[in-house]
Amino acid sequence: MIKDVFIHTAAKDAFPTLEMYGTEEFSKNMGLIDGKHVKKKDVNRMFIAANVSDNDNSVNPANAMVRYEFIEFLVRMAKYKYKEAGLVATCAESFEKLINELVLPYH
């Protein structure tokens, strides 16, 4: 399911990767950006954190995420939105909540 979401989202952006603008649009369209706790700047910060790479790789450009980085982005956003806000106790619960409440209904 996450693979399908990534492919669907990347196809609207910079397939086979996902750039920052595509990540912002995805986050806005699925309701992750709420303007209160989660803002566009938070999405951009998590994009940058998930996209950090130590090696030069033409398959994984420096300004775009590949699928495993997209999954890391979702985990980081889930932790920020739910666990750090005190809505759930664990990262696993936050990821499950993000997937069930925002990603699945969007996809």
Side-chain angles (χ1 to χ4, degrees):
M1 180 274 313
I2 294 174
K3 178 181 176 183
D4 294 337
V5 171
F6 176 79
I7 290 171
H8 175 79
T9 305
K12 296 177 183 178
D13 188 45
F15 189 81
T17 62
L18 185 58
E19 294 180 348
M20 188 177 288
Y21 177 76
T23 307
E24 291 170 1
E25 286 298 303
F26 167 76
S27 299
K28 182 176 69 175
N29 292 340
M30 74 171 188
L32 182 59
I33 297 174
D34 59 17
K36 296 173 189 161
H37 181 65
V38 179
K39 297 175 180 63
K40 183 178 164 182
K41 68 177 182 152
D42 301 315
V43 170
N44 292 340
R45 187 169 39 97
M46 298 302 172
F47 173 91
I48 292 166
N51 195 37
V52 171
S53 180
D54 289 345
N55 56 8
D56 265 345
N57 187 341
S58 62
V59 178
N60 183 0
N63 64 341
M65 290 190 294
V66 293
R67 188 172 46 219
Y68 75 89
E69 292 170 327
F70 178 69
I71 295 168
E72 180 181 342
F73 167 79
L74 292 175
V75 170
R76 287 176 178 273
M77 288 308 308
K79 180 182 176 204
Y80 179 72
K81 182 171 179 70
Y82 299 115
K83 186 173 185 296
E84 291 180 12
L87 301 174
V88 297
T90 68
C91 287
E93 289 174 323
S94 64
F95 187 68
E96 184 176 349
K97 187 171 181 69
L98 180 85
I99 295 298
N100 291 332
E101 293 183 5
L102 298 178
V103 176
L104 285 178
Y106 166 75
H107 184 64

